[in-house]
Amino acid sequence: MPTAAPLDLVATIHGRRALVTGGSVGIGRNCVESLLAHGATVAFTYNRHVEEARSLAAAHPGRASCHFLDLRDPKSIVACFDEFQRRWGQLDVLVNNAAVGTATVAQYEPDPLRKDRALFEINSMGSFGVAQSGLRLMKSQAAGGPPRKLINISSVGGLQVFPSMRLADNMSKAAIVYMTKQLAAELVHEPIDVFGVCPGATDTEMFRSSTLKGMNEKEQRRFYSRLPKGRLIRPEEVAEVVVFLASGYSTVMHGAVLDLSMGLGVHPGLLTGAP
C-alpha cells in the first residue's frame, strides 16, 4: 500500500511574494514571521507601530519591507499597493488582516460619537478596499503558475452572536465573512483562492484592551476558566493556519471560512451565559 508523502509547505511557499496588512504586531506579525520562515518574501503594513515595523523589516534585509497604510483613506490603500508593486512586482499571497477592536478603535478615532462609524470604515470598508486592490493586481499579472491566495482575517464575532460584545465591532467583522464568500463565488473559475479566518479569543493587544483590561485578577481567572481549553489562543497558532492556506495544499478549500476559536464559535454561551 503506498504511503502518503509528508506535506512540504516550504516547497510551495518559497519564493512567493506576500503582503500582510497590519503586520507589525499581533496575529499579523506572526503571519509575517511564519511566511518568512517558509521562504516567502513579505511586505507588510503598519499604522501606529512604526518602530516595531521598521525593526521587523530591518531584521530581514532583501526579503521584507514595511509600508504605511491608513484603511480609512482609499488613496492610502492604492498608494500601498503601488509601493508593493514597484518594490516586489508580483503579488502571490494577500493576508487581509489589519483591523481594530472595541477598545483599540479609540487609537484611531477619539470622538466617542464616531467610534462605531470608524469600526465600519476600518474593518469593513478598509478590508474591502484592500481586497479590491489586491485582486486587481493579481488579475493583472501573467497567467500560469500556482493559484494566488487571498486570506481575509475576521473574527468569531463575525460568525456567531455575542450579545455582550460591541454590536458595531461584530457587524464590521461579519461584513468580512460575507465579502469572503462572495469573492470566492465570483472567482471560482479564476486562479485565485479565497479564504476567511475567524479567530476566537487570541492573546493580542486588541483582545486584551477590549476584554481583559479593567478586570481584576479574580475576574480574569474566571474569564479564562470559561474559555475553550481554559486559555487564550496564541497568535502563532492562527499564523500556522494562515501559512497552510498560503501554501499549495489549500486550493481544495477555496471559499472556506474557518472558525479558529477552539470551540467558542459552536458554544458562544461559554462567554455570553446562554445555555
Side-chain angles (χ1 to χ4, degrees):
M1 180 178 295
T3 57
L7 297 184
D8 184 359
L9 298 184
V10 171
T12 68
I13 293 177
H14 189 274
R16 302 273 270 171
R17 298 174 184 181
L19 174 61
V20 180
T21 63
S24 57
V25 295
I27 290 173
R29 185 184 184 98
N30 279 267
C31 290
V32 170
E33 292 174 337
S34 193
L35 285 166
L36 286 166
H38 284 78
T41 296
V42 186
F44 61 95
T45 74
Y46 67 92
N47 189 286
R48 292 176 54 84
H49 300 280
V50 181
E51 294 305 319
E52 293 91 337
R54 291 175 177 169
S55 175
L56 178 57
H60 302 275
R63 294 190 55 221
S65 63
C66 59
H67 308 265
F68 175 79
L69 176 63
D70 180 356
L71 287 175
R72 299 173 79 178
D73 181 359
K75 292 181 179 179
S76 179
I77 295 174
V78 172
C80 178
F81 278 87
D82 286 345
E83 288 179 17
F84 175 90
Q85 189 172 21
R86 286 194 298 270
R87 179 72 180 269
W88 302 113
Q90 180 166 303
L91 176 61
D92 299 304
V93 178
L94 173 57
V95 182
N96 194 2
N97 164 76
V100 292
T102 296
T104 54
V105 68
Q107 299 172 5
Y108 303 87
E109 179 51 73
D111 184 350
L113 298 179
R114 289 187 52 83
K115 286 181 180 177
D116 285 338
R117 179 181 293 273
L119 283 163
F120 286 100
E121 290 172 347
I122 297 171
N123 296 343
S124 302
M125 293 307 300
S127 293
F128 173 79
V130 167
Q132 292 297 306
S133 290
L135 289 173
R136 278 194 295 270
L137 180 53
M138 289 179 180
K139 290 178 179 179
S140 72
Q141 296 167 178
R148 285 125 195 176
K149 311 287 182 173
L150 169 59
I151 305 165
N152 296 314
I153 310 297
S154 178
S155 165
V156 70
L159 289 175
Q160 290 291 351
V161 175
F162 293 85
S164 60
M165 299 181 185
R166 188 170 191 148
L167 178 59
D169 189 353
N170 286 349
M171 286 177 66
S172 67
K173 304 291 176 53
I176 300 172
V177 172
Y178 183 88
M179 176 181 73
T180 299
K181 293 179 178 180
Q182 170 122 358
L183 289 177
E186 292 177 359
L187 298 168
V188 71
H189 292 304
E190 298 290 333
I192 301 172
D193 297 334
V194 182
F195 312 101
V197 174
C198 298
T202 307
D203 191 5
T204 62
E205 175 195 354
M206 182 187 300
F207 183 80
R208 288 186 174 277
S209 297
S210 64
T211 304
L212 298 181
K213 187 176 180 180
M215 289 185 184
N216 59 38
E217 187 176 343
K218 181 179 180 181
E219 290 169 333
Q220 287 194 18
R221 284 200 304 270
R222 182 172 182 272
F223 178 81
Y224 285 130
S225 71
R226 296 170 66 186
L227 287 175
K229 319 301 183 187
R231 67 171 177 87
L232 296 176
I233 297 164
R234 297 186 300 275
E236 59 267 28
E237 292 178 298
V238 179
E240 288 165 357
V241 175
V242 169
V243 166
F244 175 81
L245 295 176
S247 78
Y249 298 100
S250 63
T251 294
V252 71
M253 298 172 64
H254 174 79
V257 176
L258 305 181
D259 177 346
L260 304 189
S261 68
M262 294 196 299
L264 186 59
V266 292
H267 194 352
L270 290 172
L271 294 187
T272 64

